[in-house]
Amino acid sequence: MLGKQQEGQLIEGLGVIETTETDNVVRWDGEKLYVEHDIYHNGQLVHSKYKRRVTREVAQALAEILRDHH
């Protein structure tokens, strides 16, 4: 299993440092491609398995890979 990756940023309006943790696995729910993130404010979990859509560029790259391998 791949390790989880973290990223973070200051949310000035809330006065918190928001970090997210993800396994970077692209998922499909029948309508959209997404990656699940756990979101933390100042180290405290505030949202588990938040669905963040992948960008159009990532979706296009995946579609191209799938076309080339089928």
Side-chain angles (χ1 to χ4, degrees), residues 28-42:
W28 170 252
D29 67 4
E31 293 181 22
K32 62 185 173 198
L33 289 171
Y34 66 93
V35 177
E36 290 181 349
H37 286 257
D38 289 342
I39 300 175
Y40 300 84
H41 287 176
N42 294 338

Side-chain angles (χ1 to χ4, degrees), residues 11-40:
I11 309 292
E12 289 188 35
L14 297 175
V16 299
I17 296 175
E18 180 177 271
T19 54
T20 67
E21 195 172 89
T22 180
D23 58 10
N24 285 322
V25 173
V26 176
R27 294 168 172 88
W28 170 252
D29 67 4
E31 293 181 22
K32 62 185 173 198
L33 289 171
Y34 66 93
V35 177
E36 290 181 349
H37 286 257
D38 289 342
I39 300 175
Y40 300 84

Side-chain angles (χ1 to χ4, degrees), residues 33-68:
L33 289 171
Y34 66 93
V35 177
E36 290 181 349
H37 286 257
D38 289 342
I39 300 175
Y40 300 84
H41 287 176
N42 294 338
Q44 196 164 16
L45 181 66
V46 293
H47 195 41
S48 181
K49 296 190 178 184
Y50 173 78
K51 293 180 179 181
R52 182 177 285 174
R53 287 183 188 208
V54 300
T55 63
R56 176 181 294 273
E57 293 80 12
V58 169
Q60 289 171 334
L62 288 171
E64 189 173 318
I65 290 168
L66 291 171
R67 273 193 302 272
D68 290 347

